[in-house]
Amino acid sequence: MRNLINILDFSTEELLGLMDTANDIIDHPETYRERCKGKNLATLFLEPPTRTRLSFEAAMYELGGNVIGFSEAQSSSAAKGESVADTAKVISCYADIIAMRHPKEGAPLVASMNASIPVINAGDGGHNHPTQTLADLLTIYREKGRLGNMTVGFCGDLKYGRTVHSLINALARYEGIKIVLISPDELKLPSYVKKDILKERGIPYEQTTDLETVMPELDVLYMTRVQRERFPNQDDYLRLKDSYILTPDKLQNAKSDLIILHPLPRVNEINVEVDRDPRACYFKQVLYGKYMRMALILKLLKEAQKSLAPGCDDVTVIKKETDTPDCLVNVLHCSNPRCITSTEQELKHIFKLTDRENKVYRCIYCETKSI
Ligand code: CP
């Protein structure tokens, strides 16, 4: 069964295919109005109401399908202590596809390992947000006409900003990408993203705390909100929340064809005066997100149909060897308090070998390195 848990689950060709479908939907919406007639999307959002949920719902309705679901943990059986695995099995009886947001990192992966229908990660803690990346990629592609050969600046909360992690993962596969990381020291990009993605793939990058100095280099500026809900200490949040506030003045030295993105919601980090600047693309980005989610739903439902065809194997392979094990099951334990294994006691702790030379194992749910 195909799912979208991490943006790397899709090849660059598949991402291009999704963008082609999204562009076709934009040009010919009438031909898509009944494509999902009789199909149900379950939106399982265990975090407060979000635009991502509304975007999924709008996408499914525009394809002629139905939507069931909930928008906060209190209105689901999670409040009664139901596991993610059981929820996924139950929802598989009612729906054809699931979009799940969960505060714990790796929860949508657990759902995908237990559901018999496709699962889409709609954001897991501070980890990943691949459908926001789909929106970001289509915005960059339509506004710049390319996905490679550009300098992309990420500004704000690069530690907890899951949209940043997913977009860096995606952009690192295109030619000629340079990344500029702009954040306070306390909110720097996690080392697993820096090491496993940027260093591993030889992507040039620089880190700075000063947005204005690097502004003239940038082709894309990706602003982010400081993620209050992920801070263990609210005093730190208050100290850091206004680290960067983009104003028209600060854009004076920017390129004339810069594009400014933001996954939204914004708090203070982009002054509303900037909205009038033609380089501000964050509201277009919202609209493109809906079209990419329509394209994604169509793709995953089509592939699910194929995988149910007779003779098609659908087995999740976790390789386990004794000599140099690719995978360790219940040998190491994940120490990340934000990982789904921290709350779901029955879950196996599975670590995958990600760096054979240095024997580095990482938790398959949250990518935390073993210690
Ligand atoms: N961009 C985004 O994920 O927004 P929400 O958290 O409101 O869904």
Side-chain angles (χ1 to χ4, degrees), residues 297-359:
I297 291 169
L298 287 171
K299 177 179 171 63
L300 290 179
L301 286 177
K302 192 170 166 195
E303 300 224 3
Q305 204 68 33
K306 272 194 270 170
S307 72
L308 293 176
C312 183
D313 286 335
D314 183 20
V315 182
T316 304
V317 179
I318 294 176
K319 220 171 143 199
K320 195 176 175 198
E321 294 163 6
T322 42
D323 235 6
T324 22
D326 283 351
C327 237
L328 293 173
V329 182
N330 282 347
V331 174
L332 303 167
H333 280 253
C334 187
S335 58
N336 176 7
R338 299 185 303 277
C339 179
I340 186 68
T341 53
S342 70
T343 42
E344 304 238 334
Q345 307 306 324
E346 303 298 313
L347 264 184
K348 288 189 175 127
H349 287 235
I350 307 175
F351 278 75
K352 206 164 105 188
L353 186 64
T354 55
D355 178 349
R356 191 165 287 277
E357 199 181 330
N358 299 305
K359 291 199 169 55

Side-chain angles (χ1 to χ4, degrees), residues 45 47-55 101 122-123 129 131-132 136 162-163 222 225 227 229-230 262-265 285-286 293:
F45 277 61
E47 274 188 348
T50 64
R51 74 213 58 237
T52 303
R53 180 174 63 87
L54 296 180
S55 175
R101 170 167 290 190
H129 194 349
T131 66
Q132 179 63 50
D136 303 341
R162 58 192 171 196
T163 62
Y222 196 95
R225 171 177 71 90
Q227 308 263 308
E229 64 277 27
R230 316 250 175 252
H262 190 306
L264 304 180
Q285 201 178 344
V286 175
R293 290 183 177 104

